[in-house]
Amino acid sequence: MTALAFSTSTASTRRELLELLCSPEFERTLEQSRADHRADVRRWLKILGEKGYGALGFAKEYGGAGNQPAALATFETLAYHDISLCIKYGVQFGLFAGSIDNLGSPEQKAKYLRDAGHAHLPGCFAMTETGHGSNVAGLCVTATYDPDTDELIVNTPGRHAYKDYIGSAAEDAQMASVFAQLHVGDENHGVACVLVPIRDQDGNLLDGVHAEDDGAKAGLNGIDNGRLAFDNVRVPRTNLLSRFGDITEDGEYTSPIENPNKRFFTMLGTLVGGRVSVAAAALSAAKSALTIAVRYSDSRKQFGPPDGEEISLLDYLTHQRRLFPRIARTYALRAALDHLAYRFSTDDPEDHPARREVELLAAALKPQSTWHTLNTIQECREACGGQGYLTENRFADLRNDIDIFTTFEGDNTILLQLVGKERLKAFQQEVKAGGARALAAIAAEEVEQWIKRRNPIARRDESIYTDPDAMGEAFDYREARALLNLANGFNSDRRKKVPALESVISHQCDLVHYARAYAERLIFCTFRESLGDDPDEGLEKLLHLYALERLENDRGWWVEHLYFSTGVSAGLRSEVNRVCKSLRPHAVDLVNAWGIPDQLLMAPIATLPFARNERILGGSRGTSGEGVPACSKAKSTQTLPVA
Amino acid sequence: MTALAFSTSTASTRRELLELLCSPEFERTLEQSRADHRADVRRWLKILGEKGYGALGFAKEYGGAGNQPAALATFETLAYHDISLCIKYGVQFGLFAGSIDNLGSPEQKAKYLRDAGHAHLPGCFAMTETGHGSNVAGLCVTATYDPDTDELIVNTPGRHAYKDYIGSAAEDAQMASVFAQLHVGDENHGVACVLVPIRDQDGNLLDGVHAEDDGAKAGLNGIDNGRLAFDNVRVPRTNLLSRFGDITEDGEYTSPIENPNKRFFTMLGTLVGGRVSVAAAALSAAKSALTIAVRYSDSRKQFGPPDGEEISLLDYLTHQRRLFPRIARTYALRAALDHLAYRFSTDDPEDHPARREVELLAAALKPQSTWHTLNTIQECREACGGQGYLTENRFADLRNDIDIFTTFEGDNTILLQLVGKERLKAFQQEVKAGGARALAAIAAEEVEQWIKRRNPIARRDESIYTDPDAMGEAFDYREARALLNLANGFNSDRRKKVPALESVISHQCDLVHYARAYAERLIFCTFRESLGDDPDEGLEKLLHLYALERLENDRGWWVEHLYFSTGVSAGLRSEVNRVCKSLRPHAVDLVNAWGIPDQLLMAPIATLPFARNERILGGSRGTSGEGVPACSKAKSTQTLPVA
């Protein structure tokens, strides 16, 4: 199965879910109290659980459908509806049930997964603490084995160690997957996950469990995020999720993975599904925003030729520049995220190198997708002017909900550094091994030779503007060269005996830049591949626009590395303009192709029939519904600034 | 008086107002219903009016204090409190009362200004229509003179012509300054402003006036924005604000400005105070956000050297890169906006060329300030991770309130095009006149000679990294060259007989790029000038950082124009890093220097005493208030990615 076939395989899941979301019981209220919003989301979650959407990804023996792609498609589709619901779904089924599925033994899965997967056992995922978010290894909650009672004692050592921002912790969860330092005997075996019951079925907190509400947030207010603290709470030894580490009846710690560091990262690695999911869900929000903004800008008119009719906002180059490259990037990211979902769903989880690569892809693409989406929503808001500021037109909620996507499931800036680190390590290993394979293996001399072969004069040719091979080579080159620069930088520090932390800090920005180069190359390649040998003309334009705009954005880098001549670099701007102009006739079709139902889009500026919509679409061409004649053009013929 | 002396002249106004805002009656509730929020803002506005803050800028004979700088300082200071209040203040005193002050006759001022300036006559400013925002000349509401009754008939010809987004229109305003096409006899005399009573003192709508509530907005929900429509509403002829155009008792239209286009722009020009004000108020929000983020990042620790204590977020280069250039830009913009406020307040309003220049400065700086602020708030939110997402820490409201600053008082993208157009016109006039004066006068040949004098080889020297003269020259060069490129582009189109609108559209992005070059040069120069001959070391670093980061940001342009060598360009990144690192010890002082009281900042992550703040500041170094010992370090020594 190809990534494309994979993506279409979920079509029926998407279609049926969209139908459900458009049904009256899923009707949304845009302005409501936090309590009402939470109640709606809770109700919707129950319906999804009952209908089996929560268990789609789990094995049939545990009440699931064994259909990971369908689970991903569900999450992504929910983001067209209320994003609070999408994330609440992710908390219950992806994080809480997922922690049991990924970290539990077969017995533990048999015991809990059916209930968790159908929302009969509401749970939460208690990893982050107030004092430790990105640095998971530094978590402070402890789980200490007590051989006298054969129990684990879960304890929060101070306010900084409260589990914090935990979805469903403030009100709904009855059980928590608690990440804690596991102490057995005198030894700390590092972070492990323990199931801790926190509320009874009536919602009363259990003894020793303390919960606080995180209160109002910028967005996602349909979710009851909160803090949890444990005052020496005792749970049976068997509540330790034991796939990667167990305590025997004799009180001995055992693990199939000897090395604690490796164990830690293997455990975290199984949770990569969350990152894959949020990257995809973010993009759904970008599609909603672009659909609204493009439809409105197409019908809204302002200014025009002297003494002529006003023209559509979308006819202006500045407006095209705001929206079209973002459409292109959304399409391109879609292809890359399909590729990631395909790899995630079909790779053998026991194939460790393949798994590491999935983690790498997710760490590289999640920042791309979430930053792109946040930036796109804002640009769309501004492109719709005052209308964009009204809550009914959706941008406010989209932005406020998506905002935290750049932080959760891994802070974007930290993730990019991890990508840099991983790729650098792989590169160094390849170099040591003397091999030379694929990109990671382009060793120093090779890059230097490459540069000599392609001297600046050669790059003065303008094939880069239209030839996908040339575009791809530019991305390849940047990625390889940036990696080499990184390796040289760290090597030089090592020779100078610069302390490790100081060395890393001084190269942080280079790690981030490299990771972006890696991701943008990947996105270009997967998008290109997804188009096949005989691509549709509109999609091919999008491929070019994606590449040209990214090349323009970082063109200083290519010029500095003598890859582009200054002339080729200077020409990129008008090439981007050219492709934007050529996409004008296709713009509305390109966003409509995403197929978001009007009922989910909601925004009046994008969905009301034109006849009812005159108030909103404006312009001076029409007549009012009340039979009043259109206003006459003012004598003053102010147009856009003309020199 | 210099700009600096001017700025310090308002110190006592600022101090007294801050004291008032910190008093119990101005206490804010972060989470409240729209109705309660509006009620608070309404109450606060009344207090400000009673205390004379609203009339500060008006002449003493009309109940004011004749102190324009103090009025500006008030508006700017209010933005540290609830930004809804700031904008409500602007609507009542700046826009509504301001329209009477700027467009009214002495008799009209005598009649209305005292009440308007003390909030006894609540009003609104009805310019924008649903169908016409940026294109003011195309407004569709009409005001038609009826000689039989000596009245003006104000009428809304359709839904697209509803006045829309009008602050105070939904509930509070009793009178509106309505901008309408003025018809006298058979002639349309273009847009004029008419005072229309819309509600009685009990808040009941008057006959023929229709009002709608705009409902929930992304932010500024303490303001009752709404729509207004007029069904042939009659007002006395003398309600036409008559400074720039009047109707005689005989029903003849007269105006001191013959040319209708010139009249239109002169009228709009008097309203530039709004633009000056919002640029400054936006920057207050950037200061709030940076103060919160820098204080938190200084105390929050995460990761660290192997087996050592965790270190402050602010010790990481990526974090410095996120925050420090934005501190520098905020300082630089502050200087430029002080310069603008000084010019606005002290120039003779009858000196038309000077006035045009103030308009130009405002149009160039308002986009810089508002986009910078919005971008800064978002970066600060992300830099504070999960804490940044909690409403109590302010970023959500700051962002949602400031968002629309990029649209109102002139859409940023449109304003930048106007700047480009204005400067181009001036340049062409200079060239025609054969003169050569200041920047605008650098004609084609001069630029070419300049380039020859400074060939790329010369620019390989690295003085640009440390010498403010060299930095300033780079900004000068870009501005001059970009203007020349624009002129050449339009001339070439004209020779090819490209239709005017098509020509403008194809150069829109160049107009915008030029306007940015103009603004960034201006900001650099005014900031530098404000530092004097013997600048403080910390401030000098900020000047360098501002310049280096802006040079880095657009470095592709300078390389393409052979101004920087590729080597000089490539070195900018590490120069920015170097200055960031050197600013680390000063960072907290630099934000504290803005002097925002903790009571107004509110955010617990930035204001609670450290002892009470352990929950928030986190880290694994302390003990909890409950006497529980600090958690032991986990064995796993994960640090930031080290190669």
Side-chain angles (χ1 to χ4, degrees), chain A residues 31 45 58 71 83 109 130 202 214 233 329 403 427 444 477:
Chain A
E31 232 195 329
L45 185 78
F58 305 132
I83 300 176
K109 295 195 214 184
T130 305
D202 300 324
D214 270 321
V233 171
R329 227 174 147 190
D403 181 5
F427 173 70
Y477 172 77

Side-chain angles (χ1 to χ4, degrees), chain A residues 618-637:
Chain A
S620 58
R621 68 205 174 297
T623 55
S624 81
E626 300 136 42
V628 186
C631 69
S632 57
K633 278 293 272 191
K635 253 174 81 182
S636 163
T637 55

Side-chain angles (χ1 to χ4, degrees), chain A residues 593-608:
Chain A
W594 291 321
I596 310 173
D598 279 5
Q599 260 170 291
L600 298 186
L601 275 182
M602 296 177 84
I605 53 168
T607 59
L608 287 184

